[in-house]
Amino acid sequence: MGFGANEALAFLGQTDRPGAAATPPPRETAPLGAPPPARTPQQVYAAVYWQTKDLLALGRTAGIVAQAMAAAHRIAEHAWTTTRPAVEARAKPFDCAKGCGWCCHQHVSVHPAEATAIARWLDTRTPEPDRRRRYARIQETQTKIAGATTMERRKARVPCPFLDDGACSIHPVRPMRCRGFFSRDVGLCRATFDDPAAGVDDPRWQQNDVLPREPTRLFDAAIRALAAALHEAGLSADTLELTASLALLGRDPDAVERWIAGEEAFAPARLPPRTPSKV
């Protein structure tokens, strides 16, 4: 269970080339910036894939990558908004709410495009003094968790550097893995925070639809599609750790341009190997 564990890491797919689409998905006619309505993971994948391809045809810049990421967010969020009422009606409502940050103390898997979009958001939406403090906090957090496995990070209970008083300070650009996680049992979330070793394998995660799969599948489809389109354009599709990738960009802002040029500039921020988990 978690934002950086098991199947959550597999957004690059199982093709010969990581992140590449073996066969391009069917395309629905739609003007750039107005993706067709998408409800299923397959429809989300196709819409994000072609929106990303269209944007890359305009150029290869950090701004274009951020636009592609924003389009992927819109498409996946629309699909989830459409699907959510039926999922919620199936069982008790979700317990997730602003101020509940029990799940925000673990590795989070991100694509380089997500790290790029978050960095651009911090640079353009945050006053300079606050931006410096934020990057200092990111570096401090990375120092504490550098080299930690998924379980070691959980046991250390080090909060995400973007968690402020239980709320996400980068909510508009938060990673797809965060967007797709919904829980119906805040008590179980708290128990997993208190005792990660026992909590991640607690069978209750598999019972009574506590952790619905629909949002995960929709947001995973979006990031897999974006990864595929970018990979086909020659950009590496590493699975990164959120804090490590932003710490890297804080030290080396030019890493984005090198990544866009085809280098594996984000390699030092790759997510640590997975640890076994049943959830």
Side-chain angles (χ1 to χ4, degrees):
M1 189 279 291
F3 303 160
N6 297 334
E7 72 277 2
L9 298 178
F11 61 71
L12 300 183
Q14 300 297 323
T15 58
D16 292 337
R17 293 181 301 153
T23 302
R27 175 167 189 154
E28 296 183 34
T29 302
L32 187 63
R39 286 174 172 266
T40 68
Q42 294 78 11
Q43 290 171 333
V44 167
Y45 187 99
V48 171
Y49 177 86
W50 288 112
Q51 284 280 292
T52 305
K53 298 282 277 189
D54 287 347
L55 283 164
L56 289 173
L58 301 178
R60 286 175 45 148
T61 66
I64 290 292
V65 170
Q67 288 183 54
M69 195 71 250
H73 288 157
R74 289 194 300 271
I75 293 166
E77 289 287 358
H78 173 78
W80 174 230
T81 298
T82 302
T83 306
R84 180 170 179 165
V87 176
E88 287 196 289
R90 196 169 62 212
K92 70 183 291 289
F94 300 128
D95 283 346
C96 304
K98 185 176 181 178
C100 173
W102 303 117
C103 59
C104 302
H105 299 73
Q106 58 184 303
H107 287 326
V108 177
S109 59
V110 297
H111 183 274
E114 295 185 282
T116 298
I118 293 169
R120 283 182 62 84
W121 192 87
L122 289 174
D123 292 345
T124 59
R125 301 294 185 91
T126 309
E128 180 59 24
D130 293 338
R131 191 181 75 87
R132 288 198 302 269
R133 283 192 290 270
R134 181 66 63 184
Y135 273 108
R137 182 175 170 187
I138 292 168
Q139 298 291 351
E140 179 183 357
T141 301
Q142 177 58 17
T143 298
K144 293 178 180 178
I145 66 172
T149 65
T150 300
M151 183 54 68
E152 288 169 345
R153 169 73 185 273
R154 285 177 174 276
K155 290 181 176 180
R157 300 185 180 86
V158 177
C160 174
F162 300 111
L163 185 66
D164 293 347
D165 296 324
C168 178
S169 63
I170 56 167
H171 196 264
V173 290
R174 68 196 185 282
M176 290 292 191
R177 287 307 308 155
C178 300
R179 292 170 188 265
F181 186 89
F182 287 85
S183 170
R184 301 185 196 271
D185 189 343
V186 67
L188 186 52
C189 296
R190 172 65 186 270
T192 301
F193 172 83
D194 289 339
D195 188 352
V200 296
D201 290 328
D202 193 311
R204 287 178 293 172
W205 284 115
Q206 303 286 7
Q207 299 172 0
N208 301 322
D209 205 23
V210 168
L211 201 66
R213 298 300 186 187
E214 287 88 349
T216 299
R217 288 168 179 156
L218 290 170
F219 290 104
D220 279 2
I223 195 60
R224 286 191 298 105
L226 182 136
L230 290 175
H231 186 82
E232 289 172 5
L235 281 67
S236 66
D238 288 324
T239 305
L240 312 177
E241 201 287 312
L242 172 62
T243 303
S245 63
L246 269 296
L248 184 152
L249 290 178
R251 300 188 304 270
D252 182 13
D254 292 337
V256 170
E257 297 302 327
R258 296 201 308 277
W259 171 65
I260 291 173
E263 297 182 29
E264 295 190 1
F266 283 99
R270 287 171 178 156
L271 194 72
R274 288 179 286 178
T275 52
S277 174
K278 297 178 183 178
V279 182

